[in-house]
Amino acid sequence: MDINTYNKLVEAIRSFVVGWSQSRTQGEVVLTHSTSGVICSFSTVIGTVKRKHEAFIWNLKEFDLQSFRTSINQEQHFITLFNIGLSAYKQLDQQQYLPVAQERLMSLAMNQLQAQKPQHDVKVLNSNDEVNWFNEQRGADVVCLDRFNKNGVVMYYLRDGQNLISWARAIFAGNEMIIDDVQTHLSYRRQGLSKQIMSHIIYEAQQANITQLRLAASELGQKLYRHLGFQSDSEMLVFSSVG
């Protein structure tokens, strides 16, 4: 990889992490930047696998894993590696890390698209009653409206009567937008609902003069995102420490 391509990838990763971290916690988040990666530390635990730290590393050779583990008192954490080789995978395996996800960092340059207003009923959470309903449907307090408004986070959703059927989260970060948590209820899949929400988000991003969209795509979602014009920036492998 030449130096210009490498620098563009690093900038894309940094931008993704900064936006992604804005919607992770009800408390504070501290970002520590270095030449090898970005470390996110949260004041409250996050995720189904409970953790307070997540490291996003693009240069494992320069990353001091032992010092990082010591600095966080060996608390459970995730490490996400970008475009890693077999040696890096083996290194984490030797440290007893467990692979938990394989994704792709993808981006969409908005100047490539023409604005097309979508024709469907995607909604935005904007009242406490809606938030209470949404959290009840999700079975967890995943949305705090005050925190979302403060951090430029918007939750889009579709419903069928009283049932939440599809949703996605968008984080405004300067002139970029990070998209996260794109999901459709199992009973409503293969009906194009995620595409409807994504089309709506893309349109709103255009209206807000956003220049770039970024997201972490699962294998299941990559076909949809490519259809919408997203390009692959990097492979992402996520590992969990053994807690």
Side-chain angles (χ1 to χ4, degrees):
M1 183 184 298
D2 64 68
I3 187 63
N4 288 332
T5 302
Y6 178 80
N7 288 338
K8 287 181 180 179
L9 174 59
V10 170
E11 182 58 33
I13 296 170
R14 289 188 189 277
S15 176
F16 170 76
V17 173
V18 170
W20 173 89
S21 66
Q22 290 177 203
S23 67
R24 293 298 99 183
T25 177
Q26 296 187 25
E28 299 298 322
V29 56
V30 175
L31 300 182
T32 304
H33 294 261
S34 72
T35 58
S36 59
V38 182
I39 297 172
C40 301
S41 295
F42 306 96
S43 61
T44 57
V45 295
I46 67 169
T48 304
V49 179
K50 301 302 181 184
R51 60 199 187 277
K52 292 181 68 176
H53 310 275
E54 194 148 348
F56 296 83
I57 307 301
W58 54 80
N59 189 339
L60 191 59
K61 291 181 179 178
E62 294 185 6
F63 180 64
D64 191 334
L65 182 58
Q66 295 306 319
S67 293
F68 166 64
R69 291 167 65 103
T70 300
S71 70
I72 63 173
N73 299 316
Q74 305 291 336
E75 291 180 318
Q76 188 157 4
H77 56 277
F78 277 7
I79 291 181
T80 297
L81 299 181
F82 297 84
N83 285 345
I84 70 165
L86 182 60
S87 61
Y89 191 100
K90 288 182 177 179
Q91 181 177 340
L92 289 189
D93 182 64
Q94 290 170 356
Q95 297 288 333
Q96 296 186 320
Y97 283 86
L98 301 175
V100 295
Q102 182 173 359
E103 301 175 316
R104 283 200 170 272
L105 180 63
M106 304 184 75
S107 62
L108 174 63
M110 300 302 291
N111 60 8
Q112 299 176 355
L113 302 175
Q114 292 185 353
Q116 295 184 2
K117 188 173 183 179
Q119 303 295 318
H120 32 69
D121 193 24
V122 175
K123 301 180 182 298
V124 172
L125 288 181
N126 56 21
S127 73
N128 287 327
D129 286 343
E130 286 178 297
V131 167
N132 291 336
W133 166 81
F134 186 90
N135 287 338
E136 182 179 347
Q137 290 283 305
R138 292 290 303 275
D141 291 333
V142 293
V143 175
C144 173
L145 196 57
D146 290 341
R147 173 170 56 89
F148 272 30
N149 289 337
K150 177 182 177 181
N151 291 341
V153 183
V154 180
M155 184 65 78
Y156 299 87
Y157 70 95
L158 288 164
R159 63 189 295 170
D160 179 13
Q162 288 301 309
N163 296 322
L164 174 67
I165 60 176
S166 190
W167 60 92
R169 180 167 49 235
I171 305 103
F172 289 82
N175 63 352
E176 296 193 358
M177 177 187 283
I178 312 303
I179 302 173
D180 188 37
D181 196 28
V182 182
Q183 296 190 51
T184 296
H185 191 280
L186 184 61
S187 301
Y188 290 86
R189 291 179 182 173
R190 300 187 180 279
Q191 298 180 32
L193 300 182
S194 290
K195 182 180 179 181
Q196 290 181 26
I197 288 184
M198 286 297 301
S199 297
H200 188 94
I201 291 174
I202 290 171
Y203 176 77
E204 292 214 339
Q206 291 173 313
Q207 301 309 298
N209 295 318
I210 296 296
T211 61
Q212 194 85 220
L213 270 62
R214 302 192 193 277
L215 52 78
S218 67
E219 184 176 356
L220 184 63
Q222 289 172 31
K223 182 178 179 180
L224 166 63
Y225 302 132
R226 288 194 176 95
H227 177 76
L228 292 170
F230 282 80
Q231 301 294 318
S232 176
D233 293 319
S234 171
E235 181 184 38
M236 300 171 60
L237 289 181
V238 185
F239 298 81
S240 173
S241 63
V242 178

